[in-house]
Amino acid sequence: QVQLVESGGGLVQAGGSLRLSCAASGSIFHINDMGWYRQAPGNERELVASISSDYSTTYAESVKGRFTIWIDHDKNTVYLEMNSLKPEDTGVYYCKANLFSAPLESGILEDDYWGQGTQVTVSS
C-alpha cells in the first residue's frame, strides 16, 4: 500500500512564503512523477506544479516565478516552495504521485495516488 502524507500548510499573510512537503511511503518501485494540485471551495482541482523523474517541471501560469517544485528521490519526498503568496493561492493543496508499486513480489502496478490535502490560507 502506498500512502502520501502532506505537511506544511497553514495561514500566511499575502507576500509571505510557505513550504509544503509530501512524503510517499510503501512498496514503491519507481516514481514517474509527483505534483501538487489545489482546490478552492466551489472550484475544480487544478494543477499547480509537477515534476517528473527526469526533473522536468510544469507550473501553472499563475504561479510561475513564485513557486518552485523539487523532488528528493532518496526520500520519496516532493516539495513545493511558495513565495510571494497571494489570496488567490488559498485552497486545499493535494499531493499526487504516479508510480510503479510492488505490492507483491511477483507483481508491479502503475497507478496514481493522492494525499489527504493540506490547507493553505493567504490573508490580505
Side-chain angles (χ1 to χ4, degrees):
Q1 302 81 33
V2 176
Q3 293 187 358
L4 307 181
V5 179
E6 303 104 329
S7 62
L11 175 64
V12 65
Q13 292 181 328
S17 299
L18 216 55
R19 179 181 292 181
L20 305 183
S21 300
C22 174
S25 62
S27 302
I28 300 171
F29 182 78
H30 176 74
I31 296 176
N32 297 316
D33 59 74
M34 296 186 74
W36 291 93
Y37 295 72
R38 68 186 178 193
Q39 186 170 18
N43 291 354
E44 295 291 321
R45 187 175 299 184
E46 64 176 350
L47 173 69
V48 176
S50 65
I51 184 167
S52 64
S53 59
D54 65 356
Y55 300 99
S56 63
T57 58
T58 299
Y59 293 95
E61 288 294 327
S62 61
V63 307
K64 285 184 177 179
R66 298 189 297 121
F67 291 10
T68 302
I69 187 170
W70 75 96
I71 187 169
D72 185 337
H73 281 284
D74 291 337
K75 298 180 179 179
N76 291 328
T77 300
V78 67
Y79 303 87
L80 183 68
E81 181 74 28
M82 304 184 293
N83 298 315
S84 301
L85 283 163
K86 305 175 181 179
E88 307 93 90
D89 296 318
T90 294
V92 179
Y93 283 67
Y94 297 90
C95 176
K96 191 215 77 174
N98 177 267
L99 53 83
F100 290 97
S101 65
L104 300 173
E105 294 182 3
S106 59
I108 298 177
L109 174 68
E110 182 181 7
D111 207 352
D112 290 339
Y113 298 87
W114 291 86
Q116 290 296 113
T118 184
Q119 177 70 44
V120 172
T121 302
V122 184
S123 61
S124 60

